[in-house]
Amino acid sequence: MRFPFQKAFLLCAMTAMGLGSAKAQYAGHVSSFVMDARTGAVLSATDAELQRYPASLTKLMTLYLTFRALEAHQITLDEQVPVSIHASIQAPSKLGLVPGTKLTVEQGVLGLVTKSANDAACALGEFLGGGDEVRFAQLMTQQARALGMTNTTFRNASGLPDPDQVTTAHDLALLSQHLIADFPQYYHYFNVPSFYFHRRVVPNHDPMLKIYAGADGLKTGYTDLAGHNLITSAQRGNVRLIGVVMGSSSNARRSMEMVALLDKGFADEGVAPQPLLHPAAPSGVLMASARRRGRFNHGFLLASSRPMEVADAPTSPRRYGRIPHHGASVRMVSVRHVVAHKKRSRHS
């Protein structure tokens, strides 16, 4: 990766002076980290201790605290989470929650892992923080310290831009390792292809679930300043790896970088390579060819490089009425059902 000398010198100087945070953000400069989830062995690291903006990877800590509260029986999956005005006005990506309504904890979890919904993250944060997202962010930072995430500070539940909200690729790998090890009973949510919310299919936009054999979570993230971020866990045989890519220049590029990192990690662990998966490609796909670029070992189809994390929210208020208390509007669906549903609703 080419990096101008002056910028590299400034980066090193600022890091040495402890001035990381917002001042150490460079668009297109990638930080990465790969670890063995079981042993904690570090398989590769590039600027993994450099403080970066987490963007929606922040939601992994929101989910960690949600799972912790569920395990402690402080809340339940069908418990009602109120939607405040503050939560409803969060920037996209969002579910389009209406103030004064409610969603269940499970709906909130699914909204975070599939659509990376900022309004749902804020609502969960306020719910767990006693009505105060700032208080919840303090709990997030305290939990980060307890997990050994020494270079991480949280300021909100969603990952929307805040100059003081920073983390590192290494810290996020630790968080992901704990999510998998501490809450195996909830980890399956990260692999949900989609779910129904008020008669509408909300698909999971994590591309690695569709293209990489063994991938089963965790999270995507994007803001203009953070770049394109991705955390992926994949298991092949008895080996589970966690990969982190931060600051990539596009969705397609971060996926290719993740594929290369995980392939090398599995090879280093003595796991035989596997071909990439080739799902039916939606309209507007991008063909990313390794052979043309000369850096990656696969040619494969990737979704459009438009950052899904900042997709516009639906504008029709009829799709988001008051959520029924029985929570029956949540139903996980298969990929085949999603495709069929999209064909039926394309002109709605």
Side-chain angles (χ1 to χ4, degrees):
M1 192 179 310
R2 290 180 172 84
F3 198 52
F5 172 77
Q6 294 89 345
K7 187 175 288 186
F9 178 80
L10 178 61
L11 173 61
C12 293
M14 293 175 66
T15 303
M17 292 186 295
L19 297 178
S21 72
K23 301 187 178 99
Q25 304 299 317
Y26 295 103
H29 177 64
V30 173
S31 297
S32 66
F33 190 84
V34 179
M35 70 185 299
D36 185 306
R38 182 179 61 85
T39 67
V42 178
L43 303 179
S44 69
T46 302
D47 287 334
E49 306 299 338
L50 176 65
Q51 285 187 314
R52 311 296 298 257
Y53 294 132
S56 286
L57 304 186
T58 298
K59 294 181 177 75
L60 292 180
M61 181 57 82
T62 301
L63 290 164
Y64 186 94
L65 292 179
T66 301
F67 296 157
R68 191 183 71 172
L70 284 165
E71 186 177 57
H73 305 292
Q74 297 169 345
I75 61 174
T76 62
L77 284 170
D78 60 358
E79 192 161 349
Q80 301 290 307
V81 178
V83 178
S84 68
I85 294 176
H86 174 63
S88 71
I89 63 174
Q90 297 299 298
S93 178
K94 60 198 296 183
L95 290 175
L97 301 176
V98 176
T101 62
K102 295 181 179 181
L103 75 165
T104 66
V105 170
E106 185 175 41
Q107 287 173 325
V109 168
L110 289 167
L112 267 60
V113 299
T114 58
K115 191 174 175 61
S116 197
N118 296 321
D119 49 0
C122 182
L124 276 177
E126 290 178 334
F127 181 63
L128 296 171
D132 187 346
E133 188 183 13
V134 173
R135 183 183 300 120
F136 180 70
Q138 293 171 349
L139 296 174
M140 294 169 72
T141 302
Q142 290 174 12
Q143 184 63 60
R145 296 292 180 272
L147 297 180
M149 301 168 65
T150 56
N151 292 309
T152 296
T153 300
F154 292 110
R155 288 289 184 259
N156 59 53
S158 63
L160 285 170
D162 186 298
D164 296 321
Q165 182 154 265
V166 292
T167 188
T168 67
H170 181 198
D171 279 4
L172 287 172
L174 287 176
L175 173 57
S176 302
Q177 183 186 31
H178 278 281
L179 272 166
I180 296 167
D182 297 351
F183 308 112
Q185 70 272 40
Y186 300 121
Y187 181 67
H188 68 91
Y189 282 112
F190 289 102
N191 199 23
V192 170
S194 62
F195 80 106
Y196 276 116
F197 185 70
H198 291 194
R199 300 180 299 279
R200 179 172 177 267
V201 173
V202 180
N204 192 324
H205 58 240
D206 183 346
M208 297 298 289
L209 298 177
K210 302 176 181 67
I211 68 170
Y212 198 78
D216 54 13
L218 295 158
K219 193 76 189 70
T220 61
Y222 170 81
T223 66
D224 287 340
L225 292 177
H228 300 257
N229 299 341
L230 177 63
I231 299 180
T232 299
S233 181
Q235 182 165 346
R236 293 178 176 178
N238 294 324
V239 177
R240 175 179 288 280
L241 302 185
I242 295 170
V244 182
V245 171
M246 304 187 73
S248 192
S249 58
S250 70
N251 284 353
R253 170 59 59 176
R254 75 181 178 189
S255 294
M256 289 191 290
E257 288 163 343
M258 183 64 76
V259 166
L261 287 168
L262 291 178
D263 277 354
K264 183 180 184 303
F266 279 118
D268 290 345
E269 295 277 67
V271 178
Q274 294 187 30
L276 289 175
L277 307 175
H278 294 275
S283 60
V285 297
L286 171 68
M287 174 62 81
S289 173
R291 295 181 179 87
R292 288 199 303 267
R293 294 185 179 272
R295 289 185 58 191
F296 302 98
N297 296 325
H298 306 282
F300 53 92
L301 293 173
L302 294 174
S304 167
S305 60
R306 181 175 183 267
M308 295 294 293
E309 295 84 352
V310 294
D312 292 336
T315 56
S316 171
R318 289 178 296 178
R319 290 185 176 178
Y320 299 103
R322 184 172 296 275
I323 295 174
H325 287 274
H326 51 71
S329 58
V330 177
R331 183 157 63 93
M332 301 177 192
V333 296
S334 67
V335 174
R336 181 179 298 176
H337 195 151
V338 174
V339 173
H341 180 89
K342 284 184 176 180
K343 289 181 178 178
R344 292 196 301 270
S345 62
R346 183 173 297 167
H347 304 291
S348 62

